[in-house]
Amino acid sequence: MIERRLGASGPVAGAIGLGCMGMSEFYEPVAEADAIAAIHRALEVGMTLVDTSDMYGRGENERLVGRALRDRRDTALLATKAGIVRSADDPAYRGVNGRPDYIRAACDASLERLGVDHVDVYYLHRADPNVPVEESIGALAELVAAGKVRYLGVSELNPQTLRRAAAAAPLAALQSEYSLFTRDVETNGVLATARELGIALVAYAPLGRGILTGTIRSTAALAETDLRRRVPRYDAGNFERNLALVDAFAAIARDLGCTPAQLALAWLLTQGDDVVALPGCERVAQVEENAAAAAVRLDAAGCARIGALFSPGAAAGTRLRDQRFAGR
């Protein structure tokens, strides 16, 4: 596994990490034994960045990750987040809370669920439009001073807010959606600003929430609760147009002797030594397939061929239906 540093002086992680969100919610159900086996295998193959959040499964994902890491905490770079809030009464509700008192309480609750005394990277999951980002980041910095957090990150900030956040405290990582289907960070100034500030970009949904793997041929099989039923790129009409791109991409992968998922991750890793891919993996087979992407070599011609197919804006449909959760 290739290793990359998060930020100018942050921790070192495998260039491909492990997103744990889907182990507890949002996609098809996963048996706990399968999820824990996937986390263990990820650590064995160098996917050391293990990423969760307090909102995934309303805390259940953190509990799951904590159980998986109980006897191997030192082998993982453990990341979690606070800032997106859920409701016990309305499963569909999403809100944002960046108040310092909330962040401090959320961190303590995450540490308890994870069964650890600190997390390696703690993210502000979204900026609260009602709280100056400097106040939210200040609360995160207090957690570093208290020894509860080692490094700080932010998620889905626009360039202006990212500058303000970085001025308030050192940041190791910025999480943004980034894939062949979602290249916004290349054109909206986010990636350039992160690089200027020495902040690594941790790319979530690098497989387009599964469509880039080529294994999803129809939305009919998706459960009614599946997150992708709320993603515009999976809407009728958009999905079929996007699938045509995926089929052309799969042909390139066959030419190169790898799977579409591996090629999508390999392309992402060529975008810079400051980019870390964070695919969601729920089972050992997915972990092993994705980890092998680190060995796929792409030359300039291959990158150009892929880039021409997936030029920025080529995907049909927006990446989010609720724009409150785009960059602020």
Side-chain angles (χ1 to χ4, degrees):
M1 175 60 63
I2 306 164
E3 290 188 329
R4 292 185 171 172
R5 187 173 296 279
L6 301 186
S9 57
V12 173
I16 301 172
L18 178 69
C20 297
M21 181 184 80
M23 295 176 176
S24 300
E25 195 181 10
F26 302 111
Y27 302 119
E28 63 183 56
V30 181
E32 179 169 315
D34 291 338
I36 290 178
I39 294 172
H40 290 174
R41 185 60 178 146
L43 296 176
E44 291 169 357
V45 298
M47 295 168 63
T48 53
L49 179 59
V50 177
D51 183 273
T52 181
S53 169
D54 63 354
M55 67 87 70
Y56 301 160
R58 297 184 186 85
E60 285 305 313
N61 195 246
E62 287 183 325
R63 294 187 181 95
L64 169 67
V65 170
R67 289 191 290 272
L69 296 182
R70 189 167 297 148
D71 60 347
R72 56 199 80 199
R73 171 67 181 91
D74 293 342
T75 66
L77 189 70
L78 177 59
T80 192
K81 317 175 192 73
I84 296 180
V85 294
R86 306 281 298 272
S87 168
D89 300 324
D90 180 3
Y93 173 80
R94 305 286 188 276
V96 178
N97 191 337
R99 296 194 310 271
D101 58 342
Y102 176 81
I103 289 172
R104 288 189 286 265
C107 181
D108 287 341
S110 287
L111 294 177
E112 182 176 357
R113 285 189 292 266
L114 288 161
V116 299
D117 61 4
H118 74 277
V119 293
D120 298 303
V121 185
Y122 197 50
Y123 288 92
L124 179 65
H125 209 164
R126 291 294 189 277
D128 187 335
N130 299 312
V131 178
V133 72
E134 293 84 357
E135 293 184 15
S136 300
I137 298 298
L140 294 176
E142 290 176 12
L143 298 172
V144 174
K148 297 178 181 181
V149 172
R150 289 190 173 166
Y151 300 95
L152 301 181
V154 290
S155 181
E156 293 287 5
L157 296 191
N158 64 36
Q160 296 74 27
T161 309
L162 180 59
R163 288 184 186 279
R164 290 169 53 198
L171 301 178
L174 165 69
Q175 271 201 24
S176 288
E177 185 171 349
Y178 186 22
S179 71
L180 284 165
F181 264 2
T182 303
R183 300 181 62 178
D184 309 43
V185 297
E186 297 176 6
T187 58
N188 62 12
V190 168
L191 183 55
T193 302
R195 283 185 169 150
E196 178 188 335
L197 299 171
I199 301 168
L201 192 141
V202 177
Y204 75 85
L207 300 178
R209 302 194 185 278
I211 193 171
L212 282 165
T213 66
T215 60
I216 302 173
R217 308 304 303 174
S218 168
T219 59
L222 301 179
E224 289 300 320
T225 55
D226 194 300
L227 170 67
R228 289 166 291 200
R229 287 191 175 274
R230 303 192 300 277
V231 174
R233 286 177 182 164
Y234 280 78
D235 287 351
N238 289 341
F239 179 78
E240 289 75 16
R241 289 170 58 193
N242 291 329
L243 199 58
L245 289 173
V246 171
D247 288 342
F249 180 62
I252 299 175
R254 285 194 297 272
D255 290 346
L256 295 174
C258 62
T259 69
Q262 290 166 346
L263 187 57
L265 295 174
W267 175 86
L268 195 59
L269 296 184
T270 67
Q271 302 312 298
D273 292 341
D274 53 355
V275 175
V276 172
L278 189 68
C281 306
E282 290 82 44
R283 294 173 177 82
V284 168
Q286 292 174 312
V287 167
E288 293 177 340
E289 178 183 0
N290 290 341
V296 175
R297 296 293 176 257
L298 272 177
D299 58 18
C303 286
R305 184 182 176 191
I306 295 167
L309 179 63
F310 288 101
S311 58
T318 58
R319 68 185 182 94
L320 293 171
R321 203 177 303 281
D322 189 341
Q323 293 303 311
R324 292 181 303 155
F325 296 98
R328 283 198 175 101

